[in-house]
Amino acid sequence: MKHLIKISLIFLCYLFISSSCGSNKKREKIKNEGKKTEGFRLKNEENKIQKQSEIVDFSFGIKTGAENLSEYLPLLKNKKIAVITNQTGIVRTIKYTKATSMDNESKEIITNNIVDFLLNNKINIQKIFAPEHGFRGTADAGEQIVDGKDTKTNLPIISLYGSYKKPKPEQLADIDIMIFDLQDVGARFYTYISSLHYIMESCAENKIKLIVLDRPNPNGNIVDGPILEKEFTSFVGMHQIPLLHGMTIGEYAQMINGEKWLENGAICDLKVIPCLNYKREMTYSLPIKPSPNLPNDQAINLYASLCLFEGTNVSVGRGTEMQFQIYGSPFLPKGNFNFTPIPNFGAKEPVYKDQICNGENLTKTTKVDKLEIKWLIKAYQSTADKSKFFNNFFTKLAGTKKLQQQIESGVSEAEIRKSWEKGLIDFKKMRQKYLIY
């Protein structure tokens, strides 16, 4: 009996000790897990704090070449840089601000001009080159731009739209790399691609590398219009391409090189920084107007079609708030729409200032997918004195004498378009080699 009691006491002691050990292990496990949870929470808070101060997130759909940083910023370190740009050369970043909770954070989109952005990243910019409309994009179309100094950065500004349109060797003597960042709209007579030609030529002659920061073409899916004839080459038509070329400015730079259009067949040391997440079929709305008289998407879409009126006695709405979305003149018959141009931003002396212009309002017109010439034909047929309708500038804009001759002869729109077909087929075949998107 005593033996059985002794065994029972030993067994109870064993159970007590086992239970105590288990509890201690469980408490230790809970304690350790608590430390892990606390550590994880603290780590998250640390990450949150770091993230709040970052300006490195590019959470946008389409990224422009300027926002494709890893492809070009390393190339600029310890180099002397020149930049040709204007108000359209922007870089967007996202800044995280203080969060109200761990799961919520505020974001602020920061927009910088490419010059300011590069300076903030310790890039050694020596000078700025300015195209038509100037560095800040405030000058009228065709207005002479003079050299000066940027009041914000104190950098020298050299005009490429004044007495000369090509950088001089002495202006590039201390430059290692030139950066080109301008927003094009896809029309042959929009002069940013003409400036591109001369920049490439000067870089080739002076053995300077050119980096083109590509941007989407808002009319990138349209290839249409007459092909420029070589005898009508000018600053509003440098190459034998259609009026709407359907290329980004980076693709166009590759074509200039590939087709050896530079003087003496020179080849520019060219690098195109592509856009990301972009296809030419996409609709692209420009975040900043590319020039003073292209205020919105409608104007940009109609620009190529209505710009032909600049070679006639018809106004395209300069001196109003509907530039390149309306047309009219004092010589067209009265109808349901008229406007009176007055001096404004981008048009100090508009055509027909203070005169009533009868015409047509196209602000609500469906987006065009071709070079639309029906309004030009209609205006010619309706004008009071047809002998005064066209002026000498029209041939430069059209790139050929044939279009004016066809309209004056009463050739139908369908027949006019048919006369463009072979040239467009040949151009598209050539163009295919240089497409990126």
Side-chain angles (χ1 to χ4, degrees), residues 213-259:
L213 303 180
D214 210 5
R215 292 183 177 273
N217 176 354
N219 293 310
N221 206 29
I222 310 176
V223 180
D224 201 15
I227 304 292
L228 178 133
E229 296 167 11
K230 196 169 184 178
E231 63 202 272
F232 301 114
T233 300
S234 72
F235 197 63
V236 292
M238 296 285 290
H239 307 122
Q240 295 173 63
I241 62 170
L243 208 148
L244 282 157
H245 53 73
M247 305 176 79
T248 67
I249 208 153
E251 293 171 330
Y252 197 83
Q254 293 185 159
M255 178 181 282
I256 290 174
N257 246 2
E259 297 302 312

Side-chain angles (χ1 to χ4, degrees), residues 318-334:
R318 295 183 190 271
T320 75
E321 298 304 313
M322 296 180 287
Q323 309 97 315
F324 290 99
Q325 301 156 82
I326 58 177
Y327 71 89
S329 86
F331 312 110
L332 292 176
K334 290 182 180 179

Side-chain angles (χ1 to χ4, degrees), residues 146-317:
V146 297
D147 295 350
K149 185 173 285 190
D150 181 40
T151 55
K152 183 175 182 180
T153 63
N154 215 33
L155 288 168
I157 299 175
I158 299 170
S159 171
L160 295 180
Y161 198 79
S163 56
Y164 55 91
K165 295 179 171 62
K166 178 177 173 179
K168 297 177 180 179
E170 58 267 28
Q171 294 168 337
L172 299 176
D174 57 346
I175 300 301
D176 298 314
I177 297 174
M178 174 84 81
I179 291 180
F180 186 102
D181 189 14
L182 291 170
Q183 176 65 62
D184 190 44
V185 297
R188 185 181 64 219
F189 36 57
Y190 202 64
T191 61
Y192 296 167
I193 59 173
S194 301
S195 293
L196 173 66
H197 172 102
Y198 284 124
I199 287 283
M200 290 180 67
E201 198 165 84
S202 193
C203 283
E205 292 168 354
N206 293 278
K207 300 185 180 349
I208 293 172
K209 186 177 187 68
L210 175 65
I211 295 177
V212 173
L213 303 180
D214 210 5
R215 292 183 177 273
N217 176 354
N219 293 310
N221 206 29
I222 310 176
V223 180
D224 201 15
I227 304 292
L228 178 133
E229 296 167 11
K230 196 169 184 178
E231 63 202 272
F232 301 114
T233 300
S234 72
F235 197 63
V236 292
M238 296 285 290
H239 307 122
Q240 295 173 63
I241 62 170
L243 208 148
L244 282 157
H245 53 73
M247 305 176 79
T248 67
I249 208 153
E251 293 171 330
Y252 197 83
Q254 293 185 159
M255 178 181 282
I256 290 174
N257 246 2
E259 297 302 312
K260 298 185 177 180
W261 284 339
L262 302 179
E263 190 173 3
N264 300 319
I267 300 295
C268 174
D269 181 4
L270 172 72
K271 183 175 180 62
V272 176
I273 306 300
C275 304
L276 301 177
N277 310 320
Y278 169 66
K279 295 181 180 178
R280 71 183 67 256
E281 296 81 13
M282 291 177 171
T283 298
Y284 184 69
S285 181
L286 300 191
I288 292 178
K289 60 184 181 181
S291 49
N293 288 292
L294 290 181
N296 53 38
D297 293 341
Q298 183 76 345
I300 290 165
N301 179 238
L302 293 174
Y303 169 71
S305 301
L306 295 193
C307 193
L308 287 170
F309 277 122
E310 304 262 66
T312 72
N313 65 0
V314 176
S315 164
V316 290

Side-chain angles (χ1 to χ4, degrees), residues 350-365:
V351 174
Y352 303 130
K353 182 177 75 169
D354 298 329
Q355 296 183 54
I356 295 174
C357 296
N358 303 308
E360 196 166 357
N361 184 349
L362 306 176
T363 56
K364 304 299 182 184
T365 299

Side-chain angles (χ1 to χ4, degrees), residues 360-388:
E360 196 166 357
N361 184 349
L362 306 176
T363 56
K364 304 299 182 184
T365 299
T366 304
K367 184 177 180 180
V368 302
D369 59 1
K370 60 186 176 182
L371 179 69
E372 192 60 82
I373 57 172
K374 65 183 179 184
W375 301 307
L376 180 66
I377 294 170
K378 179 181 177 182
Y380 174 77
Q381 292 174 345
S382 304
T383 195
D385 185 349
K386 292 178 175 53
S387 67
K388 296 179 180 177

